[in-house]
Amino acid sequence: MRTNVRYTDPVTFPVALGRGVIINAGAEPPEGWLGAPRVVIDDAAVVAPGHVVAQLHAAWVARQPVVLELIADAASFREPRSYRLDPWEAGARFEPIHDRLHFLVWANNVDARGADPIWWWGRKAERLGAAPCADGSGDAVLPDGRPVWIDGGPRGPLPPEVGLVVHSETVELLRLTVTPPEQPLEADLAADQRAAVGHGSGAARVIAPAGSGKTRVLTERLRLLHTKRAYERETTLAVAYNVKARAEMETRCADFRPQVKTLNAYGQSLLNASLGRLNVLDEGEVRRIVEGLVEIPQSRRRANTDPLTPYLEALSLCRLGLQNPRDTESSRDDVPGFAGVFIRYRDALAQRAAVDFDEQIYRTIEVLLSNGAFRAEAQRSCRHLLVDEFQDLTPAHVLMLRLLSIPTLDCFGVGDDDQVIYGHVGADPQFLIQFDSLFPGAAEYALQVNYRSAAPIVTAARALLGYNQRRIVKDIRPAEDASTDPSAFRVALIPTETLTGKAVEQIQAWIAAGSPHAQIALLTRVNSQLLAPQVALTQRGVPVNGALDERILERTGLRAALAYLRLAVGTGPAGGYASADVVEILRRPSRGLPQWFPDRLRRKKAWSASELRSIGSTMTDRETDKLDAFVDDLESLRRVARGSNTVTILRAVRADIGLDGAMELLDRSAGSEGSSHLDDLDALLQVAALEPDPARFEPWLRESLAKRPAAEASPDGGAIPVVTLSTVHRVKGLEWNHVIVFGVNAGVFPHRLSEDDEEERRVLHVGITRGRINTVVLADASRPSMMVPELDGSAPTRSAVSTGAISRAAVRQGPAAGGSGVSGQTALAAEDEPLFDALRTWRTSRAKADKVPPYIVMSDQTLRAICAKKPSSLVAMTRVPGIGPTKLDNYGEEILEVLRGAGVRVE
């Protein structure tokens, strides 16, 4: 076998270095490259270098020599380019491709365009004190007399016969440190972990299922690079998912102190370096800025106790999800004027020389795009990226990492596509599934053993995930010494009224058996599901972390339900119907009463039934009928309340009065994931079983929620161990000996507001795999989740369509991939012009009453959509683009009246 390639006397180099050669247009390559592939770089290739860059990168990664015919002027792609793009226009997969073109042309190719071929890295080594090597045994001779090769290929182990090597990255740092020979790993690692840690060079994807030793692989990889392969600290960055993960990695690597940062912290450091030191705003400061930029009508303040939250969510979605602000505004009704707010908010940050959490990422991307020279400097510190929890990256995170990892695209990404549970902000399993499209040439490794959980937990998780199709197929097995006790994983179907009691009983049993409180967790899909367990455990004296407080009772559905309860038991003055409570329930469900009716009610503190009916004398016959029906409901509810318990009354409110339907209508029109109004009503019904006296229930509930959390009640002022109550989304990466996944019910798993069943399975999978010794799944026997039989594999297999394999994330790829996504306008048919005029007249009147601009009430685009759809009911109105929960709640009945007046058949 030939060891060296001779390209001109007397210079040779080892074949293993894989160097190519650059020649002039039409020239023949030197003898050593006669059989190598030829790549032409002409002006056309510089204009559109994608194909050429792909060829050169593949050759560079594989150390495959190429002949590079350089026709274009090298200066035309030498300087890093700057891009005037909004990050949402660029998209997650954007790359400054000329950065890569320039690098790949010169990184590992001999310049043979002149009379004497030049290895430029050798020349640079000479400038640092090395001498020319005349006998062909190296590119240069170190000051101590040793000949060395200066390697421009991907950094990693080379065959021993190559001899001594100094890598070009080291030369870039103005050093001549010799790369040490490859040394064996000393860490006690399993075979799959050892393979990943020992990865040679270039990008790599490591699939690390729950409990498989992800953090250990990352830290041992860092240890290998720094202590065995002598990678410089200045060129290697480990990206931790959050501050806690960063601290853990730093602790494990304290002996060699690598660069470990969160993306936000690294972004902040880049911003400070490029723009000067910026202040970081806290949540309160952010809210105050947003509050000054949006005009919230009084009607929206009544319908939604926190009207700023939708704007904050939209700001996050546009910046982390890389969505066009115009698309965000047009797709939801609770952020009128958002596209303008987005611009003004970011201007306000700039004026204050400040950033918030999301801006640390978004503004960094802007700087990296718009300042090519600064981007090139930043890239030098990210020649080798190690990324934790890769599956949780949003489109903005992916774009930032790609901008930093160019030109080498050397990213060691560790994650698990089965743990992607943040789709609402753009996280997408596709980024991990198609890792090699983001980082070409990536090697693949898979960890296969769950060292955390008992065997039955691993088996259940594996069965559940088997129903997903948009995933990397993997073999997950328990550790050889894992417990096989069948009781380690249990599913219990419990009647509604005793579901909470069963959870408390199980927790107390674990405590009685000697388990520390801190090793027990109760996890739910949504926050409101924690209500009954928290209250019940507090009543039993079990210390918990106090996940909820009285603020939860201010949510729309709970406020309405409690108002109905007060009206039912007659807590108003002199036993009448309290005005505030009547106003609270008027639209839950909607009664179609006149706009002035609530103001009339507020003139008195309380009303009798006959007094309420008397107001009908000033109404139309149709409105009087509606008022009578409303008062009939109130009187009927009082009759139900006589001698009934809290649960019975609340069930009547939900089913007979129709609060369930009203909240479902709001949920359907919300169009987003997360806690729903029906979740809240379910939670209230569960906690109602703990206090049967309806007159005492609300004071008792508020008192329970107001109790000081046990974690803060230690006699010496310190914290005491508590049972953890949390949603699954907040505990990914954590683990306990004993875990309850509470309320695995229909409508919750998958969540009623979710559009992606596969992500819902991933959420449940994350929940059950938090347990080491025991995981117990508790479900309502009357409505268990469809996923319950999937936990033992007994459920039938579903198709990709029915499992929701085409998810919101796939739909989002339009804006995220760089398209502007500006929505088209709904055309107005000629015959609909009278209806459109009637709707505009209504809108003008309503805007004057609310003292807001007409567009705040409803845009012309939404009015055109109403004309096109002609909804015949509130349910049908949820399908009109631009009408969400707030507009439905505030204007639904009025719009139906306009439609009815225009001759549209309305139910």
Side-chain angles (χ1 to χ4, degrees):
M1 176 183 291
R2 294 170 62 195
T3 302
N4 288 7
V5 171
R6 181 179 299 277
Y7 56 84
T8 184
D9 287 335
V11 183
T12 60
F13 66 86
V15 171
L17 294 178
R19 292 177 186 167
V21 66
I22 302 170
I23 61 174
N24 290 314
E28 285 298 313
E31 179 183 349
W33 289 278
L34 287 176
R38 196 178 188 103
V39 179
V40 176
I41 300 182
D42 53 16
D43 291 340
V46 173
V47 171
H51 180 65
V52 165
V53 165
Q55 282 183 285
L56 293 178
H57 184 88
W60 179 74
V61 168
R63 293 185 179 269
Q64 170 65 52
V66 296
V67 176
L68 221 160
E69 185 176 345
L70 184 56
I71 300 174
D73 181 1
S76 66
F77 57 91
R78 178 184 301 131
E79 298 301 322
R81 300 192 177 187
S82 298
Y83 301 87
R84 299 299 175 185
L85 285 173
D86 287 316
W88 57 262
E89 290 181 281
R93 296 177 183 275
F94 176 82
E95 61 179 336
I97 197 160
H98 290 90
D99 292 9
R100 294 180 64 197
L101 178 63
H102 176 263
F103 172 82
L104 291 167
V105 166
W106 300 107
N108 202 30
N109 297 313
V110 175
D111 187 354
R113 294 176 298 166
D116 297 317
I118 301 172
W119 176 238
W120 288 108
W121 288 116
R123 293 286 181 88
K124 292 179 181 181
E126 291 174 19
R127 294 176 197 148
L128 297 177
C133 186
D135 63 3
S137 61
D139 293 314
V141 177
L142 296 178
D144 63 8
R146 292 180 295 169
V148 294
W149 301 105
I150 312 298
D151 181 28
R155 196 161 186 178
L158 287 165
E161 59 267 22
V162 170
L164 298 182
V165 170
V166 174
H167 198 270
S168 56
E169 290 177 5
T170 305
V171 174
E172 271 191 326
L173 293 172
L174 308 181
R175 302 171 193 166
L176 293 174
T177 308
V178 174
T179 300
E182 185 72 359
Q183 304 172 53
L185 290 171
E186 297 173 357
D188 182 16
L189 298 169
D192 53 357
Q193 296 171 335
R194 181 174 292 271
V197 169
H199 168 66
S201 62
R205 181 192 73 184
V206 181
I207 299 301
S212 62
K214 166 184 65 67
T215 304
R216 181 163 172 75
V217 165
L218 267 171
T219 54
E220 289 304 322
R221 174 69 178 174
L222 270 174
R223 186 178 303 279
L224 171 72
L225 296 185
H226 285 296
T227 67
K228 303 293 187 183
R229 296 183 181 172
Y231 283 29
E232 292 80 11
R233 188 177 187 274
E234 298 96 319
T235 66
T236 307
L237 176 67
V239 178
Y241 177 66
N242 54 31
V243 173
K244 183 176 180 180
R246 183 200 69 198
E248 182 177 358
M249 291 174 68
E250 287 177 333
T251 299
R252 295 192 187 196
C253 301
D255 56 322
F256 59 96
R257 300 182 61 196
Q259 281 197 93
V260 182
K261 294 182 181 294
T262 65
L263 265 185
N264 283 79
Y266 192 65
Q268 182 71 32
S269 68
L270 292 177
L271 291 176
N272 290 344
S274 61
L275 304 176
R277 188 158 190 83
L278 301 178
N279 298 316
V280 182
L281 303 183
D282 61 26
E283 183 179 352
E285 292 170 310
V286 168
R287 291 181 65 87
R288 284 191 289 274
I289 294 175
V290 174
E291 190 169 22
L293 298 175
V294 299
E295 187 173 358
I296 309 296
Q298 186 60 37
S299 58
R300 288 184 65 225
R301 292 184 185 276
R302 289 197 301 269
N304 187 338
T305 59
D306 187 11
L308 293 181
T309 294
Y311 286 93
L312 299 173
E313 292 173 347
L315 283 168
S316 185
L317 186 59
C318 287
R319 290 182 291 172
L320 296 186
L322 297 183
Q323 282 199 3
N324 184 336
R326 294 188 298 276
D327 288 346
T328 300
E329 180 179 353
S330 66
S331 67
R332 49 194 299 174
D333 81 318
D334 52 358
V335 287
F338 172 74
V341 170
F342 181 83
I343 295 171
R344 295 194 300 275
Y345 175 73
R346 299 196 65 240
D347 286 345
L349 293 181
Q351 290 167 9
R352 289 167 169 79
V355 292
D356 64 15
F357 192 72
D358 295 343
E359 193 74 5
Q360 289 175 319
I361 303 298
Y362 195 81
R363 187 75 180 100
T364 299
I365 293 172
E366 283 186 328
V367 170
L368 293 173
L369 287 172
S370 64
N371 189 335
F374 181 79
R375 180 177 67 248
E377 186 63 31
Q379 288 167 351
R380 291 189 178 93
S381 65
C382 300
R383 291 291 190 241
H384 310 282
L385 284 174
L386 294 88
V387 182
D388 185 19
E389 302 285 12
F390 194 93
Q391 78 282 344
D392 290 330
L393 299 179
T394 66
H397 294 136
V398 171
L399 175 56
M400 180 174 163
L401 285 173
R402 278 172 54 79
L403 291 174
L404 290 170
S405 66
I406 285 171
T408 62
L409 290 173
D410 184 347
C411 177
F412 187 84
V414 182
D416 181 11
D417 55 303
D418 288 328
Q419 296 187 63
V420 178
I421 62 174
Y422 300 118
H424 58 285
V425 291
D428 186 346
Q430 208 65 23
F431 290 138
L432 196 57
I433 293 171
Q434 297 181 351
F435 186 88
D436 62 348
S437 70
L438 298 170
F439 303 98
E444 297 180 359
Y445 301 93
L447 308 185
Q448 299 178 322
V449 180
N450 181 328
Y451 296 98
R452 173 193 300 155
S453 302
I457 298 174
V458 177
T459 300
R462 184 173 58 220
L464 176 68
L465 293 172
Y467 288 85
N468 277 358
Q469 298 187 13
R470 193 166 174 250
R471 66 187 291 257
I472 299 166
V473 177
K474 51 186 72 75
D475 176 23
I476 308 171
R477 60 184 185 275
E480 291 183 1
D481 59 350
S483 169
T484 58
D485 183 352
S487 67
F489 181 82
R490 292 184 293 113
V491 176
L493 305 183
I494 310 296
T496 305
E497 58 275 11
T498 58
L499 188 63
T500 301
K502 183 65 176 179
V504 174
E505 177 185 315
Q506 179 62 77
I507 289 172
Q508 289 184 313
W510 283 330
I511 294 171
S515 175
H517 292 75
Q519 285 301 324
I520 300 173
L522 181 144
L523 308 177
T524 60
R525 169 64 179 80
V526 294
N527 212 42
S528 59
Q529 284 183 293
L530 297 170
L531 180 62
Q534 177 175 322
V535 170
L537 288 165
T538 301
Q539 294 292 321
R540 299 281 188 93
V542 177
V544 297
N545 60 331
L548 302 176
D549 57 30
E550 283 188 276
R551 286 176 294 183
I552 192 174
L553 303 184
E554 294 305 309
R555 286 179 54 83
T556 301
L558 294 180
R559 287 203 323 270
L562 293 175
Y564 270 116
L565 190 61
R566 292 190 296 268
L567 292 168
V569 298
T571 57
Y577 297 109
S579 300
D581 290 336
V582 177
V583 170
E584 182 65 53
I585 66 171
L586 275 179
R587 291 179 178 169
R588 297 171 181 89
S590 180
R591 300 290 178 168
L593 293 169
Q595 186 177 326
W596 52 261
F597 189 67
D599 291 331
R600 178 70 178 275
L601 290 177
R602 294 187 184 97
R603 295 177 185 177
K604 294 178 58 176
K605 289 186 176 180
W607 298 75
S608 66
S610 60
E611 287 173 332
L612 285 173
R613 293 183 194 277
S614 69
I615 302 176
S617 62
T618 61
M619 298 178 178
T620 65
D621 289 346
R622 182 178 180 83
E623 290 169 341
T624 299
D625 290 344
K626 291 180 178 180
L627 175 61
D628 286 340
F630 173 56
V631 179
D632 288 345
D633 279 348
L634 294 179
E635 292 186 302
S636 173
L637 189 60
R638 283 228 168 149
R639 288 192 293 272
V640 170
R642 293 174 191 148
S644 296
N645 60 28
T646 311
V647 169
T648 300
I649 298 171
L650 288 177
R651 281 179 172 161
V653 168
R654 295 182 63 171
D656 301 337
I657 299 296
L659 184 59
D660 257 3
M663 293 302 100
E664 183 178 10
L665 196 61
L666 288 181
D667 286 345
R668 289 178 59 179
S669 60
S672 61
E673 284 188 85
S675 182
S676 79
H677 302 293
L678 282 177
D679 293 333
D680 298 342
L681 297 187
D682 287 346
L684 191 66
L685 201 60
Q686 286 176 354
V687 79
L690 305 178
E691 176 47 73
D693 183 349
R696 173 168 161 67
F697 174 72
E698 184 178 353
W700 167 83
L701 177 57
R702 291 186 181 277
E703 179 185 349
S704 297
L705 290 173
K707 282 185 178 179
R708 200 173 176 200
E712 302 173 7
S714 176
D716 60 4
I720 61 175
V722 297
V723 171
T724 297
L725 305 181
S726 177
T727 61
V728 174
H729 284 85
R730 293 176 182 166
V731 298
K732 195 160 71 66
L734 303 180
E735 56 190 75
W736 294 266
N737 285 346
H738 309 286
V739 169
I740 292 175
V741 184
F742 182 80
V744 183
N745 306 327
V748 179
F749 280 107
H751 195 270
R752 54 176 59 89
L753 299 184
S754 172
E755 298 174 15
D756 187 351
D757 288 359
E758 295 211 348
E759 178 162 324
E760 294 297 296
R761 285 193 188 89
R762 295 194 292 266
V763 175
L764 181 55
H765 153 256
V766 169
I768 64 178
T769 55
R770 297 312 91 195
R772 298 188 194 101
I773 300 173
N774 296 105
T775 293
V776 177
V777 171
L778 296 181
D780 187 332
S782 64
R783 52 188 188 99
S785 164
M786 72 176 195
M787 296 179 188
V788 167
E790 292 177 350
L791 291 166
D792 64 7
S794 62
T797 302
R798 291 169 169 79
S799 69
V801 173
S802 67
T803 56
I806 301 175
S807 66
R808 281 186 314 285
V811 175
R812 279 196 199 96
Q813 286 178 358
S820 64
V822 179
S823 301
Q825 295 292 308
T826 302
L828 181 66
E831 61 270 21
D832 289 335
E833 289 182 3
L835 174 57
F836 182 69
D837 290 340
L839 287 167
R840 292 186 69 180
T841 299
W842 160 79
R843 181 182 65 180
T844 300
S845 174
R846 186 61 199 261
K848 288 180 179 178
D850 288 347
K851 299 180 180 179
V852 297
Y855 75 86
I856 293 291
V857 175
M858 206 160 288
S859 68
D860 281 356
Q861 176 71 359
T862 302
L863 296 184
R864 291 189 186 96
I866 293 171
C867 292
K869 296 281 188 180
K870 296 183 179 64
S872 61
S873 65
L874 292 176
V875 172
M877 203 175 295
T878 64
R879 295 187 283 273
V880 175
I883 294 188
T886 304
K887 283 185 171 52
L888 188 75
D889 195 27
N890 288 340
Y891 313 130
E893 286 288 350
E894 296 176 22
I895 292 170
L896 290 179
E897 286 297 329
V898 174
L899 290 166
R900 186 180 287 110
V904 176
R905 183 179 177 277
V906 175
E907 296 176 5

